[in-house]
Amino acid sequence: MSVHDKSVRIASYNIRKAKGLDGRRDPLRILNVLNGLDADVIALQEADLRLGARPSALCRNQIAAETDFTVVPIARNDVSLGWHGNAVLVRKGIGHDVIRHIDLPGLEPRGAVRVDLPGFSLVATHLGLMRRHRAGQLRAIARAVEGCGQVVIAGDFNEWSPHRGMECLHAFDVHAPGHSFHAARPIAALDRIAVSAGLSVGDTGVVQTGPARHASDHLPIWADVSW
């Protein structure tokens, strides 16, 4: 799929700072999973470590050498890959334009990033643990993308219910491709992709094979989006 054909495969993956179920921090294992997604755009969560200047859990040089992706320059320092752990990778040759940081309310420090891509804007986010905080965070995102045209929101929504918690995204079509958490025994569809009017979702999936089974506590999700 290609943005030039007005279709794109979007993936979302909470990489848990590249720490696998075996307790090892293995960035190359994560890159192996990313290479297997056949995605054009990937939203990552927990891409940076928590302490200090929040250095990246993945090496930029390894991303350049081992994948066909480039890192969208979201970080506000020289050591992080993203912002509040949210990072965006795009396949080489796909351009990007406006980058916006969206502050999200709540007790935990949370944020979202908006990247304008050919045909749509992507918002990558990792929502809070409490539903009332998530509701405010989704309202903040919805306000931040008003007037942006076609929008895709991708990330770890942290919502366990298949029926509740998405009310603030009434203008979006929310897709949960399947159970993506916990990787050892997937029982919850925490990771989601939401699309605005003018966008349609085709095939979707959760990667449950290969190194994805133990590279993180989440499984990666993907969706084919067209406009």
Side-chain angles (χ1 to χ4, degrees):
M1 293 214 169
S2 166
V3 291
H4 303 297
D5 299 326
K6 297 189 176 180
S7 63
V8 65
R9 175 164 291 187
I10 298 174
S12 179
Y13 190 18
N14 184 330
I15 66 171
R16 195 170 73 153
K17 309 170 192 67
K19 186 177 182 180
L21 300 187
D22 56 5
R24 292 190 301 115
R25 205 176 299 279
D26 190 342
L28 285 175
R29 181 167 54 186
I30 292 292
L31 297 185
N32 191 13
V33 176
L34 300 182
N35 282 331
L37 295 176
D38 195 27
D40 300 295
V41 181
I42 304 177
L44 297 178
Q45 303 87 50
E46 298 193 25
D48 301 318
L49 306 184
R50 279 193 177 274
L51 301 178
R54 302 202 66 169
S56 172
L58 304 177
C59 175
R60 289 175 181 268
N61 290 338
Q62 288 180 335
I63 294 173
E66 303 292 337
T67 78
D68 193 35
F69 296 103
T70 59
V71 179
V72 176
I74 290 167
R76 287 178 164 172
N77 61 33
D78 295 330
V79 298
S80 297
L81 198 69
W83 186 66
H84 282 291
N86 298 296
V88 176
L89 306 181
V90 296
R91 191 167 294 282
K92 292 174 183 176
I94 297 178
H96 55 81
D97 194 359
V98 176
I99 298 171
R100 293 284 186 270
H101 298 79
I102 306 170
D103 288 304
L104 300 182
L107 291 178
E108 313 162 77
R110 298 280 178 172
V113 292
R114 170 191 145 206
V115 179
D116 289 356
L117 299 163
F120 66 98
S121 293
L122 173 76
V123 174
T125 192
H126 186 183
L127 301 180
L129 297 175
M130 299 181 66
R131 181 175 289 156
R132 63 188 180 90
H133 293 159
R134 292 195 297 271
Q137 290 162 3
L138 289 174
R139 282 193 293 268
I141 291 172
R143 287 194 299 268
V145 298
E146 286 180 356
C148 288
Q150 298 173 147
V151 177
V152 177
I153 304 171
D156 181 354
F157 280 37
N158 258 324
E159 177 55 65
W160 287 71
S161 172
H163 308 297
R164 299 177 57 195
M166 302 293 111
E167 295 83 0
C168 297
L169 292 183
H170 55 84
F172 287 78
D173 188 12
V174 182
H175 294 262
H179 292 168
S180 57
F181 182 85
H182 188 280
R185 184 171 176 264
I187 59 172
L190 301 188
D191 303 280
R192 289 175 163 91
I193 293 174
V195 299
S196 67
L199 297 171
S200 61
V201 173
D203 291 339
T204 66
V206 181
V207 179
Q208 303 184 54
T209 58
R213 294 177 300 173
H214 46 78
S216 169
D217 59 346
H218 283 247
L219 298 169
I221 65 168
W222 57 269
D224 291 335
V225 177
S226 59
W227 60 93

